[in-house]
Amino acid sequence: MRALFIGGTGTISTAVVKRLVNELDWEVWLINRGNRASVVPEGVHQIIADIHDEADVAEKIKDLTFDAVCEFIGFTVEDVERDYRLFKGKTRQYIYTSSASAYHKPAAGYLITEGTTLANPHWQYSRNKIASEEFLMKKYREEGFPVIIVRPSHTYDERQIPLGVHGKGGFWQVIKRMQEGKPVIIQGDGTSLWTLTFNRDFAIGYTGLMGNRHAIGEAFHITGDETLDWNQIYATVADALGVELQPYHVSAEFLSAAGDKYGYDFEGSLIGDKSVSVVFDNSKLKRAVPDMRTTVRFDQGVRIALDYILSHPEECQKEDPEFDEWCDHVIEVLEQAKKEFF
């Protein structure tokens, strides 16, 4: 079986590639710019190209066909239109990585299924994913283009800690604040529910759809089964660090307004996603992929990640003094408001 990955070296796709090569004996090809060759397993074939250079890619794959083409860096309709032109007639499956942020939140029911309405007025990223799905499903219905839609939720690996509120530099400044005993901002009151998935578990579900004829024309979210609230998530990180958490709760609406000046898109990432309770019904995926299961609990995944992050300071510990100052300012403003009213 032969698979082509568009991308293939990101948080999610790296785990899928490793599972295919090390456990499932697929022939794997990557098409990317070759900037992260160090994470590519031995035996993987690489096509060095810019996927946006359609003519060059078409020339480089002209003699190849695939059992699955796996798109991990398609963010707009233009991206999937290009893929359709490139891979029509050249693959038995085209697997498009969308996003669980495309689901309307809050949903009509607390449990999200693949049939939950797709809508997100707060985040252009999610609307682009929805539009891309619509284009691909139209091609499936009208022409039989063999699309499968997958919708990851919050997936992480050993190089990152999943958090709700952070700056442009990522998670590290929040970890640093925890280590220094400083208050850490958590959106809302911290009781909204969230689902976190370690990338190795995601790979179980994803690879189970590859070569699976029953998956064509269908959408699947791929998430773990463990659901935590945000207070539990931050407390688990603090426990793994061996520090006492100093939580500071701020409404998502206030964070969105306060972040605009600094270019933080908290409207999209919080109001349109992480500030709303999300619980997934994974029964559809498990019917298609009976092996799908959670093998890495969040408390285990955090320790795996921290072991790596703390031992790779140059790679993972990116300080963000602007975000640190912003957090202090937000807290100072709210504390002053409390004094004025109380």
Side-chain angles (χ1 to χ4, degrees):
M1 301 283 278
R2 177 189 289 170
L4 173 68
F5 284 72
I6 304 171
T9 58
T11 297
I12 299 177
S13 56
T14 296
V16 178
V17 168
K18 288 180 178 178
R19 179 171 169 80
L20 288 175
V21 172
N22 297 332
E23 301 179 40
L24 301 178
D25 198 30
W26 277 62
E27 177 185 334
V28 177
W29 292 68
L30 308 185
I31 184 165
N32 56 40
R33 297 178 182 179
N35 295 332
R36 298 196 66 222
S38 62
V39 304
V40 178
E42 185 178 350
V44 170
H45 306 273
Q46 281 203 274
I47 300 171
I48 304 301
D50 180 350
I51 189 62
H52 300 292
D53 188 343
E54 186 174 338
D56 181 53
V57 172
E59 176 64 23
K60 289 176 176 176
I61 66 170
K62 65 180 181 180
D63 297 324
L64 295 170
T65 58
F66 304 96
D67 294 290
V69 170
C70 308
E71 171 60 274
F72 279 88
I73 54 173
F75 300 105
T76 67
V77 173
E78 289 75 20
D79 291 338
V80 295
E81 288 175 341
R82 174 206 63 223
D83 288 356
Y84 166 75
R85 293 189 295 268
L86 283 169
F87 299 111
K88 180 183 179 182
K90 294 182 72 66
T91 185
R92 291 188 174 92
Q93 292 179 325
Y94 172 86
I95 307 177
Y96 177 64
T97 304
S98 183
S99 170
S101 69
Y103 290 121
H104 184 267
K105 303 181 188 75
Y110 84 96
L111 198 60
I112 290 179
T113 73
E114 285 81 358
T116 297
T117 300
L118 302 181
N120 194 325
H122 300 288
W123 208 357
Q124 186 62 47
Y125 165 82
S126 305
R127 294 195 294 274
N128 288 341
K129 289 290 191 179
I130 294 168
S132 298
E133 287 194 29
E134 290 172 345
F135 170 82
L136 292 167
M137 291 305 295
K138 184 173 187 291
K139 291 301 181 183
Y140 167 72
R141 289 191 297 267
E142 295 179 356
E143 302 176 20
F145 185 63
V147 64
I148 300 169
I149 305 294
V150 298
R151 300 177 184 136
S153 186
H154 202 155
T155 307
Y156 68 105
D157 66 2
E158 73 278 2
R159 295 170 296 178
Q160 58 183 289
I161 301 295
L163 298 168
V165 182
H166 59 76
K168 299 170 188 175
F171 64 87
W172 174 251
Q173 197 65 42
V174 181
I175 301 301
K176 192 167 184 288
R177 290 180 69 88
M178 287 187 184
Q179 292 175 321
E180 294 172 350
K182 299 178 72 172
V184 173
I185 293 175
I186 302 175
Q187 71 272 16
D189 63 1
T191 61
S192 58
L193 300 174
W194 197 244
T195 299
L196 296 162
T197 308
F198 201 69
N199 66 344
R200 294 203 303 258
D201 289 343
F202 178 92
I204 297 171
Y206 190 99
T207 56
L209 297 175
M210 298 177 69
N212 188 333
R213 185 175 299 275
H214 300 292
I216 295 173
E218 297 289 338
F220 301 87
H221 47 241
I222 303 179
T223 79
D225 292 320
E226 184 180 21
T227 300
L228 302 166
D229 69 33
W230 282 101
N231 289 327
Q232 293 172 319
I233 290 169
Y234 277 77
T236 301
V237 176
D239 287 347
L241 287 167
V243 301
E244 184 177 350
L245 179 66
Q246 304 294 331
Y248 196 91
H249 296 104
V250 183
S251 77
E253 289 78 10
F254 187 95
L255 290 171
S256 176
D260 283 347
K261 181 179 177 181
Y262 291 79
Y264 303 147
D265 181 17
F266 291 134
E267 178 183 357
S269 65
L270 296 183
I271 299 174
D273 200 30
K274 297 179 181 67
S275 66
V276 182
S277 284
V278 173
V279 181
F280 294 97
D281 178 349
N282 294 317
S283 57
K284 181 178 180 179
L285 178 66
K286 290 182 177 180
R287 286 194 298 271
V289 185
D291 290 340
M292 181 60 189
R293 63 195 183 281
T294 296
T295 66
V296 182
R297 297 191 315 265
F298 183 59
D299 63 294
Q300 298 168 326
V302 165
R303 284 172 167 77
I304 292 170
L306 284 174
D307 284 347
Y308 185 92
I309 291 162
L310 295 176
S311 62
H312 292 76
E314 292 188 10
E315 177 187 353
C316 301
Q317 297 178 23
K318 184 177 180 181
E319 295 199 12
D320 189 348
E322 180 183 80
F323 177 72
D324 197 51
E325 180 182 340
W326 179 83
C327 290
D328 289 339
H329 184 55
V330 167
I331 293 168
E332 180 184 359
V333 168
L334 290 173
E335 288 301 301
Q336 184 61 39
K338 291 178 184 177
K339 291 177 182 177
E340 292 181 3
F341 282 95
F342 305 106

